[in-house]
Amino acid sequence: MSHQTADFIVIGAGIGGASTAYWLSRQARVLVLEREAQPGYHSTGRSAALFMESYGPAQVRALSRASIDFFNAPPAGFCEHPLLAPRGAFMFAGPGQEDELAAHEAAVRGTSSRVERLDARQALAFLPVLRPEHVIGGVLEKDAADIDVDALLQGFLRGVRRNGSGVVCDAAVTGMRHADGVWTVSTPNGSYRAPVVVNAAGAWADAVGGLAGAAPVGLVPKRRSAFIFAPPEGMAVAHWPLFLDVRQSFYIKPDAGMLLGSPCNADPAPPHDVQAEELDIAIAIDNIERFTTLRIRRPSHVWAGLRSFVADGELVGGHDPALPGFFWAAAQGGYGIQSAPAAGRYFASALLGEAPDPQLAAAGFDPAQISPARFQP
Ligand SMILES: Cc1cc2nc3c(=O)[nH]c(=O)nc-3n(C[C@H](O)[C@H](O)[C@H](O)COP(=O)(O)OP(=O)(O)OC[C@H]3O[C@@H](n4cnc5c(N)ncnc54)[C@H](O)[C@@H]3O)c2cc1C
């Protein structure tokens, strides 16, 4: 295939673009254009890599639920190892927070059947680093799992190439022109043509929409910071779940023999190659040391990524109501990895004019709830 023309151009090789291109490329010629030298350089490569069915608003939960079969049984040849590994997620509460914990428990029980309520004694036996004065009990979501994000992303991209489509890196889209039903998409290294463009540009989705002349959807990228630190000498932590307090002032998750910490921040920021602020890390360390007996001397690795949201917190996926041949696959928020298999599949079916997978409706998915048409005045 000539890589200059295609049926679809996908802008962005994060998990949003890669998953959509994967499903699309089974039936069409696709070109994925990525500004960076490597796919996954931005949000996708900076996540906490957790699958938690109860996380996010209704449509995100439906897409995550509809992704479980793919995660558990990806197509032959997609990856060499399982995409999910058991982890669990534990939210604990302190004195005066009984109602908040009960509300969380009700929400989790609404999505997951393997849920356990732990009283204070059980919680402290389970996670002995918690300080007893901050724990009245907690809720364990047993099916929460670690995602092998790199295997997922590379599996999608490998599939795109195997299907005869292309992924072009160092290809920043700088302009778009629509004439005679065809988009001409310019990059510093050449231009590409296709009748349909998919905007999977992550935090830059409104900026890329602007290049095409689309009205913004009101995307707000929010910085979330994280760091790696050493567990106490001799303490076995590999079996710990991800754990966080009910007000979400921090979370901790085991990560390859170390611990990953985050202040759960969501600080609005323009789309850019975001770095963690020193204050983010100081706040996280302060909160972790207040709620637990862990001591953090010096994080070994510090980073931040952007989680991009529109006002209602749902994804934005579908044809632009005012711009022919322009399709949104954006606003994945803090759930873009766990929802990607089903979201990408849905986007591809909508692009190909096919009926959505019936499994989606069974999971409670309603395309209208994520359509960009909801932002029309
Ligand atoms: C700290 C942190 C923890 C997280 N934890 C989780 C988690 O546990 N589970 C989960 O499911 N999600 C999690 N997320 C969210 C998840 O990472 C995102 O929802 C997801 O990665 C978004 O994918 P994306 O493809 O939309 O964006 P990105 O991965 O940012 O990809 C967009 C791509 O578009 C490219 N691009 C932009 N503009 C242009 C242009 N003009 N031309 C060409 N290319 C362009 C960019 O270079 C980028 O590679 C977390 C995020 C962060 C930051």
Side-chain angles (χ1 to χ4, degrees), residues 10-19 33-36 38-52 55 64 71 145 147 149 153 168 170-176 185-187 199-205 207-208 211 222-226 242 251 253 260 262 265 274 303-308 329-340:
V10 175
I11 301 176
I15 205 73
S19 55
L33 302 180
E34 168 54 50
R35 180 186 48 211
E36 304 294 346
Q38 277 194 359
Y41 175 78
H42 288 288
S43 303
T44 297
R46 306 178 190 206
S47 88
L50 193 77
F51 181 98
M52 189 159 70
Y55 198 34
S64 301
F71 277 119
I147 305 171
V149 179
L153 179 67
V168 187
D170 294 314
V173 172
T174 52
M176 272 183 264
V185 177
S186 313
T187 77
N199 179 6
W204 289 265
V208 163
L211 292 177
K222 296 183 178 175
R223 183 181 74 250
R224 173 149 294 185
S225 308
L242 176 143
Y251 69 74
K253 177 184 186 249
L260 183 161
S262 171
N265 54 329
V274 66
W303 74 96
L306 294 171
R307 300 154 78 244
S308 298
Q332 283 87 343
Y335 341 93
I337 315 288
Q338 64 174 52
S339 56

Side-chain angles (χ1 to χ4, degrees), residues 7 27 39 68-69 84 89 93 106 127 157 192 209-210 228 234-235 248 251 267 291 296 313 358 360:
D7 300 316
Q27 294 187 45
I68 292 175
D69 285 353
L84 295 184
L127 282 169
L157 294 172
Y192 302 86
I228 299 290
M235 185 178 282
Q248 304 193 21
Y251 69 74
D267 302 306
F291 283 99
I296 303 170
L360 279 172

Side-chain angles (χ1 to χ4, degrees), residues 54 61 102-112:
S54 68
R61 294 199 304 273
H104 172 69
E105 181 175 3
V108 175
R109 287 196 187 279
T111 58
S112 181

